[in-house]
Amino acid sequence: MGILTYGDFACFTLEDEYRAVKVAGKTRIPAGRYPLALRTAGKMHKRYSNRFGFHRGMLHILNIPDFEWVYIHIGNDHEDTQGCPLVGYAADLQKHEIMSSTPAYTDLYLRCMGEMPTHINIRDHI
């Protein structure tokens, strides 16, 4: 569980757990500063484009060692992450779930389209 901030926007995040050795689809991305771009290829982009008229590409986190196709996207629990950060406006810390994911994603996405950030900083819990 974490927090994503962008200007005055804030929401909860959910990722898979830390592992010293990556297990595909079950390991969170490591702390670091990574480029952020839009990706317009793939099934997820097509699905989101059909669902959201404003969608111009997936929020794609690039250059993560040993990871590919990492997107910020909608979901509620660890089954939905597949190694990607999920966003939501509410969280259940006991169940390790987030809720109100679609509105959080929509608000974040539209904010990013207004001024696309070039990087994302991922930090470990302190």
Side-chain angles (χ1 to χ4, degrees):
M1 309 272 326
I3 302 286
L4 184 149
T5 61
Y6 181 51
D8 62 356
F9 174 85
C11 69
F12 291 99
T13 62
L14 179 70
E15 291 186 75
D16 285 316
E17 66 184 274
Y18 168 78
R19 296 173 193 274
V21 177
K22 179 185 174 191
V23 175
K26 296 183 182 285
T27 305
R28 72 170 173 81
I29 59 178
R33 179 177 167 88
Y34 304 107
L36 190 63
L38 293 179
R39 183 166 193 267
T40 58
K43 293 178 188 176
M44 189 170 247
H45 165 64
K46 185 175 181 178
R47 187 173 50 222
Y48 277 49
S49 293
N50 290 336
R51 183 173 179 184
F52 303 108
F54 57 79
H55 208 266
R56 298 185 358 216
M58 297 303 300
L59 296 172
H60 187 194
I61 305 171
L62 302 165
N63 301 341
I64 304 167
D66 301 320
F67 286 77
E68 290 185 298
W69 320 126
V70 177
Y71 307 118
I72 299 171
H73 64 88
I74 295 168
N76 299 107
D77 61 32
H78 71 93
E79 295 292 326
D80 299 325
T81 67
Q82 294 297 304
C84 298
L86 308 176
V87 293
Y89 277 136
D92 184 324
L93 300 177
Q94 275 67 43
K95 292 183 180 179
H96 294 55
E97 294 178 351
I98 57 174
M99 289 78 68
S100 300
S101 188
T102 300
Y105 177 83
T106 299
D107 292 348
L108 174 63
Y109 193 92
L110 292 173
R111 182 172 195 103
C112 287
M113 292 304 96
E115 184 179 338
M116 184 70 181
T118 60
H119 288 79
I120 187 168
N121 294 310
I122 307 291
R123 296 186 185 126
D124 289 331
H125 177 68
I126 299 173

